[in-house]
Amino acid sequence: MSKLEPTVDEFATAMQQLSAEAAKSLPTAVVPSQPEMAQEKTVETVPSVDGLDSRLKNLEQSIAKKIEDLVAAVGQNKGQDLTVRFRKIDDQLSAIRSTESVNQRLFDSLHEELLKYRDNFLHESLQKPFIHDLVHLFDDLNSLADQLRNSAAAQKGRGNIAQWRDNLENAIHSLVEILHRFDVKEIEAKETVDRTLHRVVNYEPADFPEEDGRIVMRVKRGFFWRDRVIRPEEVIAKRYG
C-alpha cells in the first residue's frame, strides 16, 4: 500500500486544481438594477454561455485524462508489487530447495559413515577372530602334512600314510578356498626380505654381500586380509657379516 500513496496524493491535487478551474469558469451573478441594464447583461451573457460550454468540455476531457492516468499508474504499481512478491516467493522456494539439497547430502554422508562403521564392526569384531583361527588351523594342518610327507617318504611303497597325506592336502586346499571367500590371500613368495611382509625368525651366514637379505626358507605362510597384512610370513634369510 505504501507504493500507492504518492499516486493517491497526486490524484487529490489534480482534483483540487480541476475544481478551482471549474469555479473560475462559472458566470458571476447578475443583479438587475434597471430594465435596460438587465437587458444589456442578458445580451452579453449569450456569448459567455458558449465559452462556458467549451471550457466545461475541456474540463471534462481533462478529468477523464487524469482518471485514465491514475488507473494506469495504479495498474503499473500493482504489477510492480506483484512482480516483487513473485520474486520473493521464488527466492524462498530456492532457499527451501537448497536446504533440502544440503539435508540430503548430510543424510547421504551420515548413511555412508554408518555403513562403514557397520562393516568395520562386523569385520573387526566377528570375522577377524574367526580368520585368525582359520590361519592357525592352516598352520597346524601344514605342519601335520609335512610330518606325513616325511613318513611316507621313509615308508617303502604306498601305504596308509601316503593316503592320509593326500587326504590332508585336499583338506588344506579346501581351507584355502574358504579363506579366499573371506578376502584372505596368501603373500606371494619373494626372493628377498621385505620388512612390511616378512618376519625373519632365523638367519644363515652369507658368503657374499649381494646375498644379504635373501630368503632361504619359508617357515610359515603370510596372509593379506582386506588389503592388509593380517599375518606376516615367517622366513629364514641370509645375513652378510
Side-chain angles (χ1 to χ4, degrees):
M1 295 299 295
S2 59
K3 295 183 178 180
L4 297 179
E5 288 179 358
T7 305
V8 175
D9 294 340
E10 181 182 356
F11 176 71
T13 303
M15 293 301 297
Q16 291 176 0
Q17 293 176 357
L18 293 175
S19 298
E21 292 178 4
K24 292 179 181 179
S25 301
L26 294 176
T28 58
V30 178
V31 180
S33 59
Q34 296 178 358
E36 293 81 3
M37 293 179 63
Q39 185 177 3
E40 291 177 0
K41 292 290 183 179
T42 304
V43 174
E44 292 176 357
T45 305
V46 173
S48 299
V49 172
D50 295 336
L52 177 62
D53 182 65
S54 176
R55 295 185 66 179
L56 287 176
K57 289 182 179 180
N58 293 334
L59 178 62
E60 182 181 358
Q61 294 176 357
S62 178
I63 292 175
K65 187 175 184 305
K66 290 287 185 180
I67 293 176
E68 291 177 357
D69 294 341
L70 177 62
V71 171
V74 171
Q76 183 178 5
N77 289 333
K78 286 184 177 180
Q80 293 177 354
D81 185 63
L82 290 176
T83 302
V84 173
R85 289 178 179 270
F86 285 138
R87 185 179 296 111
K88 289 182 178 180
I89 293 174
D90 186 64
D91 293 341
Q92 292 175 356
L93 291 176
S94 299
I96 292 173
R97 286 193 294 267
S98 177
T99 303
E100 290 179 352
S101 177
V102 171
N103 292 336
Q104 184 64 36
R105 289 197 297 269
L106 290 175
F107 176 80
D108 293 339
S109 177
L110 179 60
H111 182 64
E112 185 178 357
E113 290 181 2
L114 288 176
L115 289 178
K116 289 181 179 179
Y117 176 79
R118 182 201 64 183
D119 294 340
N120 290 333
F121 175 78
L122 292 176
H123 290 315
E124 297 293 333
S125 301
L126 300 178
Q127 289 188 2
K128 191 173 182 178
F130 179 67
I131 290 173
H132 274 293
D133 293 339
L134 292 179
V135 170
H136 290 309
L137 178 59
F138 176 84
D139 294 337
D140 295 337
L141 293 180
N142 270 287
S143 178
L144 182 58
D146 290 337
Q147 296 177 12
L148 291 177
R149 193 176 296 109
N150 295 331
S151 299
Q155 185 182 28
K156 295 180 180 180
R158 182 174 179 83
N160 294 330
I161 297 179
Q163 184 65 37
W164 294 342
R165 180 201 61 195
D166 295 340
N167 293 338
L168 186 57
E169 288 180 352
N170 291 333
I172 293 173
H173 180 74
S174 299
L175 179 59
V176 171
E177 292 295 328
I178 295 174
L179 290 172
H180 289 171
R181 294 174 191 171
F182 286 97
D183 295 328
V184 180
K185 299 179 180 179
E186 289 185 86
I187 295 176
E188 296 181 359
K190 296 183 177 297
E191 295 183 357
T192 57
V193 174
D194 184 349
R195 295 295 179 180
T196 61
L197 303 176
H198 304 110
R199 185 167 70 90
V200 181
V201 296
N202 197 7
Y203 287 97
E204 291 185 0
D207 298 331
F208 303 99
E210 58 270 16
E211 293 180 349
D212 187 64
R214 182 173 296 176
I215 297 175
V216 178
M217 181 183 299
R218 303 171 72 189
V219 179
K220 285 185 178 180
R221 302 293 175 85
F223 293 93
F224 286 112
W225 179 55
R226 301 178 65 193
D227 298 328
R228 294 182 300 176
V229 178
I230 190 174
R231 208 273 298 279
E233 187 174 55
E234 296 182 0
V235 296
I236 297 175
K238 289 188 175 184
R239 175 184 289 175
Y240 181 77

